[in-house]
Amino acid sequence: MTGDPPDVAVVAALVAAVDLWQSRTGKTAAVYVVGMPRGPARLHQLDADGCQGDWLLRWLSRRREHGIDTDPVLVIRTGAGVETVAYLGADDLTGLITLRDAGGRHATVTQPALAPRLLGAVVDRDDAPGDFGEAPYVPPAQEMPDDIYDERVLAYRTDDGMYPEAIWLDVYRKAQSTPWVCVINSDHLPDLRRIPYRYSVETERLARLAEKARPILLGVSTGRGLHFVSGLGADGAGRFHFRDPWGGRSLLCRENNTLGIAAQRDPDARTVGDWTIAADELRTAVRIALVWWRTWAELNAVEVYPRADDFTAQVFGPGRDTPGCAQNRLSEDAVEHRWQGVSDGAHRFDLRVTVDRDERVRWVRTTLDRTDQPGLWPSAMGVDVLSRVLRAVLAQSDLDELRPLLSALPGLTSATSISVHGAPAHLQQALAGAADVLSGAAARQYVPLLYSSLSLKRSPLWPSTVMIDVVLGESRLRTRGTASSAAVMDAALGALGLPVHEGRFPWEPRPGTFDAP
């Protein structure tokens, strides 16, 4: 990087910013000056480092990830001259930066708009990034632990994300131990044995997946190694949009790769890291995709969240009387639909359904009871209602796992129990417990499924009343907390009857799902 020393006004503003920052925080400041040659330099009475403006903003926007808790001070050029403002953070989704001036007024600005006006910054020396060209030490590849959940795997996560195993584990941890599917380009890479939930597909299918799926992380080749970016989808003009975490210009810019790829700035950029490449360039670069398991399911025609109108039609019609429905807005993104007191004279049921802003069902509660006296349960009406609700809301694989319970419902009484021998081993105890709740022999039972969960509870005050809650999108593959060893996920894989580190969801990618243009 080349550049001239900053002018007197910029130096004066930086000196004042350092004095003010240190007097307020009691900490030692690090100074970065935009446009100066990279590396330490003496600037007036300040020790400063030169840097690029877009790299500096990129690092500042990741400050929470680095544990920074002291607001940096920026020196920017405005129409009124050189000003000093506090940097309060960047929104994780939009990239909008919030600033506060000396008068306490707040303003938001995009990263691309702020970058050319940025002259310098004052940050906590303990949190300073140092030389952004400095590469961290990475142990030899042959020393990587075989256990994908071993904390030492994270040492292989460099700034340019060269090791897919480390990126997978990092994403897994940040997603609160929710598995992401790893889709590998079979034309370029071997199967990555440490990563569970993986599939191999050819280049064209992987590229079409990248163009359609969100959220998605893509491992792209620079000709020198792998680099991970966030895919933002394809537009109607044949360009693929992505967000690059690399400071400065993207590693897919022409000067940063050996594959002839020439990334361009996204004209609708929300952050300085937003870029585009042509469709053929995507196919040249893409090697790996990490896809959220629910996105992968939906791309393969598995309905995790059914449409509200489809659910209602299956439960109440056709040929059935649809009772009146009361609606209650729970939040900006959720509405509760409630059908209350539907009765056949001796029995009744209440149904509550939470629907999101996309008119998709997220949660269902069915309450069944007798209106006269406790007795054998469930009634014919209860069996019919519960069966219709479950069949309307659950994915087919979850219904398959519940088949022993659903088949036994018509004859289930307090004197009978269901046969669980045909049920998956990991569900036999849960299904038997669910039958006990329905027949009055137990108070509660939780049933974890692949795409949802059931919770059955009998009222302690009204023994003839049972509540059945269905939470959609709550997978038993999701473990609580952060896994530090293979034991947690291995237990989930074993429960699915899958070999350790060879995880497969119970469906393969189907032709016609993300193949079509």
Side-chain angles (χ1 to χ4, degrees):
M1 181 192 301
T2 60
D4 298 323
D7 59 32
V8 175
V10 175
V11 174
L14 286 169
V15 170
V18 169
D19 291 342
L20 177 62
W21 191 89
Q22 293 186 155
S23 67
R24 286 182 175 177
T25 65
K27 297 183 177 182
T28 303
V31 180
Y32 289 86
V33 182
V34 175
M36 277 180 48
R38 188 177 69 188
R42 187 69 178 174
L43 181 66
H44 194 44
Q45 71 263 44
L46 297 176
D47 291 323
D49 281 274
C51 67
Q52 296 174 321
D54 54 359
W55 169 84
L56 183 58
L57 280 180
R58 187 77 51 76
W59 178 79
L60 288 170
S61 70
R62 296 167 63 188
R63 51 196 281 268
R64 273 179 282 183
E65 178 181 331
H66 289 263
I68 302 173
D69 57 6
T70 305
D71 293 333
V73 175
L74 306 185
V75 176
I76 61 175
R77 190 178 300 280
T78 69
V82 176
E83 295 189 31
T84 302
V85 296
Y87 177 98
L88 303 184
D91 184 271
D92 291 336
L93 296 178
T94 66
L96 287 174
I97 293 171
T98 302
L99 304 174
R100 184 182 63 232
D101 67 12
R105 295 182 295 269
H106 291 71
T108 58
V109 62
T110 64
Q111 291 186 34
L114 181 58
R117 297 177 177 272
L118 183 61
L119 303 173
V122 178
V123 304
D124 188 339
R125 182 171 295 281
D126 292 338
D127 295 324
D131 181 359
F132 57 84
E134 181 180 319
Y137 170 73
V138 178
Q142 61 268 25
E143 295 180 9
M144 182 185 293
D146 283 339
D147 181 356
I148 188 65
Y149 305 100
D150 191 313
E151 295 285 329
R152 292 174 295 171
V153 171
L154 293 176
Y156 293 81
R157 186 188 187 282
T158 63
D159 283 341
D160 57 350
M162 291 188 65
Y163 289 88
E165 295 90 345
I167 295 294
W168 187 92
L169 180 58
D170 189 49
V171 170
Y172 170 80
R173 287 158 51 93
K174 289 178 179 177
Q176 297 181 323
S177 304
T178 299
W180 285 51
V181 177
C182 180
V183 189
I184 303 167
N185 189 330
S186 59
D187 296 332
H188 292 276
L189 289 176
D191 200 15
L192 298 169
R193 62 182 178 83
R194 294 179 178 87
I195 299 179
Y197 316 115
R198 64 189 180 274
Y199 298 93
S200 293
V201 298
E202 62 276 12
T203 299
E204 182 61 26
R205 294 195 75 198
L206 184 56
R208 293 208 179 278
L209 170 66
E211 291 169 339
K212 290 188 175 184
R214 288 186 65 185
I216 187 170
L217 289 178
L218 297 176
V220 293
S221 175
T222 64
R224 304 182 182 96
L226 278 177
H227 174 58
F228 275 78
V229 301
S230 297
L232 302 178
D235 60 23
R239 303 287 297 181
F240 178 75
H241 298 244
F242 66 96
R243 183 162 296 164
D244 195 330
W246 185 255
R249 289 171 59 78
S250 169
L251 289 188
L252 292 183
C253 288
R254 187 181 299 277
E255 70 274 17
N256 291 331
N257 71 87
T258 62
L259 301 178
I261 299 171
Q264 301 175 11
R265 288 281 188 188
D266 188 338
D268 300 319
R270 290 183 171 181
T271 79
V272 292
D274 289 357
W275 299 83
T276 71
I277 53 177
D280 61 332
E281 292 176 324
L282 171 65
R283 285 152 178 79
T284 298
V286 68
R287 298 290 185 269
I288 295 176
L290 296 180
V291 189
W292 195 27
W293 70 271
R294 286 213 295 260
T295 301
W296 180 252
E298 289 166 356
L299 286 170
N300 285 280
V302 176
E303 284 279 317
V304 179
Y305 301 114
R307 296 185 181 277
D309 52 357
D310 293 340
F311 171 81
T312 304
Q314 283 189 255
V315 173
F316 294 112
R320 301 185 182 97
D321 294 330
T322 303
C325 174
Q327 294 190 12
N328 175 39
R329 179 163 292 279
L330 303 177
S331 68
E332 187 175 322
D333 298 322
V335 175
E336 180 186 77
H337 296 225
R338 184 163 187 168
W339 293 268
Q340 190 168 7
V342 182
S343 175
D344 66 355
H347 308 85
R348 74 174 198 173
F349 75 92
D350 295 343
L351 182 62
R352 294 165 57 187
V353 180
T354 300
V355 176
D356 65 17
R357 66 193 311 166
D358 296 322
E359 293 297 311
R360 296 279 187 170
V361 176
R362 295 290 182 133
W363 176 86
V364 177
R365 167 172 287 178
T366 307
T367 303
L368 302 166
D369 69 357
R370 288 178 63 94
T371 58
D372 46 11
Q373 60 183 1
L376 299 182
W377 195 91
S379 65
M381 175 187 168
V383 169
D384 185 42
V385 168
L386 184 57
S387 296
R388 278 188 274 134
V389 168
L390 294 179
R391 295 181 190 282
V393 78
L394 295 180
Q396 185 58 51
S397 59
D398 287 357
L399 286 173
D400 291 342
E401 292 189 333
L402 285 179
R403 184 172 290 118
L405 179 63
L406 294 173
S407 300
L409 275 178
L412 189 64
T413 72
S414 57
T416 64
S417 61
I418 69 170
S419 171
V420 296
H421 298 299
H426 61 280
L427 277 183
Q428 290 183 3
Q429 185 175 353
L431 291 180
D436 287 343
V437 174
L438 292 174
S439 63
R444 62 179 63 226
Q445 180 64 48
Y446 177 74
V447 183
L449 302 172
L450 188 59
Y451 303 112
S452 58
S453 67
L454 268 66
S455 177
L456 299 90
K457 183 171 65 174
R458 184 172 289 276
S459 170
L461 299 177
W462 307 98
S464 60
T465 298
V466 179
M467 290 183 295
I468 304 99
D469 290 350
V470 181
V471 181
L472 301 175
E474 181 174 291
S475 173
R476 68 165 168 272
L477 295 180
R478 179 169 180 149
T479 57
R480 302 301 180 187
T482 300
S484 58
S485 73
V488 175
M489 189 57 74
D490 287 354
L493 292 174
L496 287 171
L498 301 173
V500 174
H501 299 321
E502 291 292 339
R504 291 291 187 274
F505 286 92
W507 29 260
E508 294 288 340
R510 305 180 193 174
T513 52
F514 52 81
D515 289 328

